[in-house]
Amino acid sequence: MTTKDIVLVALFAAIIVALGFLPPITLAFIPVPITAQSMGVMLAGTIIGAKRGAASYVLVVLMVAIGLPVLAGGAGGLQKIMGPTGGYIIGWIFGAFVTGLIAERLVHDGQPEVRQYIGFFLASIAGGIIVVYAFGIAWLCFSTGTPFMKALIGNLAFVPGDLIKAVIATLAARAVLAGYPMLPSRA
């Protein structure tokens, strides 16, 4: 990794932690509050790429593991990783990687803007929602004995909020690509 890569990884780890301190947003048409920290998966992957995005989440998960209060609501500790929601936390690493990998393949400088928006949005959904949910639901079922379908249906309440996050991440990634086209050069 270059110095630039290390700086970007640390910067995005800090952004992810900061997103955890934003208060949840409650919307009348969504049954659960929207928290911002999981949006970091989409932002890191689409803006700094697969390897650097995943590395930023490895750094965050290490901070959680040693007990730093970096999760939403000031939580931290190994018990959070080993608890029922630990699969989502570990899934963030893989989600950021997949988001970045797809964005790297689908979005290129010089493409029409619409294709860039679509590429970033698809990458955000694939990595930030599908991959994270896969890890989260699998661990939830394993750690609590919850039947798969019950866990899957329970997660559907979070999809509308995550789609809103995907739109925000798409807009941010496109703005960064337009304003700083050298940033997406992958590590």
Side-chain angles (χ1 to χ4, degrees):
M1 292 185 93
T2 67
T3 303
K4 175 184 172 182
D5 295 331
I6 294 168
V7 168
L8 289 171
V9 166
L11 173 65
F12 267 81
I15 289 170
I16 293 160
V17 171
L19 288 171
F21 292 108
L22 294 176
I25 299 168
T26 305
L27 300 175
F29 60 92
I30 299 176
V32 294
I34 300 170
T35 59
Q37 197 158 33
S38 60
M39 183 173 57
V41 171
M42 301 170 195
L43 291 170
T46 57
I47 294 174
I48 63 173
K51 292 177 186 176
R52 295 183 293 204
S56 66
Y57 264 100
V58 167
L59 184 55
V60 170
V61 170
L62 288 173
M63 289 188 283
V64 170
I66 63 171
L68 296 177
V70 297
L71 293 177
L78 200 52
Q79 74 279 6
K80 286 295 186 183
I81 296 172
M82 300 308 295
T85 59
Y88 298 97
I89 296 168
I90 298 300
W92 287 344
I93 298 168
F94 296 94
F97 184 81
V98 169
T99 299
L101 196 63
I102 293 171
E104 291 168 6
R105 302 292 187 270
L106 295 181
V107 180
H108 305 287
D109 197 29
Q111 284 178 319
E113 285 182 36
V114 172
R115 287 194 64 194
Q116 292 174 341
Y117 282 117
I118 291 169
F120 284 136
F121 186 70
L122 292 175
S124 295
I125 290 173
I129 299 175
I130 296 170
V131 171
V132 172
Y133 281 31
F135 277 85
I137 291 170
W139 180 252
L140 180 65
C141 292
F142 175 77
S143 67
T144 65
T146 303
F148 175 76
M149 285 308 294
K150 185 175 181 182
L152 180 64
I153 290 168
N155 273 268
L156 292 179
F158 296 95
V159 172
D162 286 339
L163 289 172
I164 292 169
K165 294 175 201 176
V167 169
I168 293 168
T170 297
L171 295 172
R174 174 61 183 96
V176 170
L177 180 64
Y180 190 47
M182 294 306 294
L183 182 63
S185 61
R186 308 306 181 199

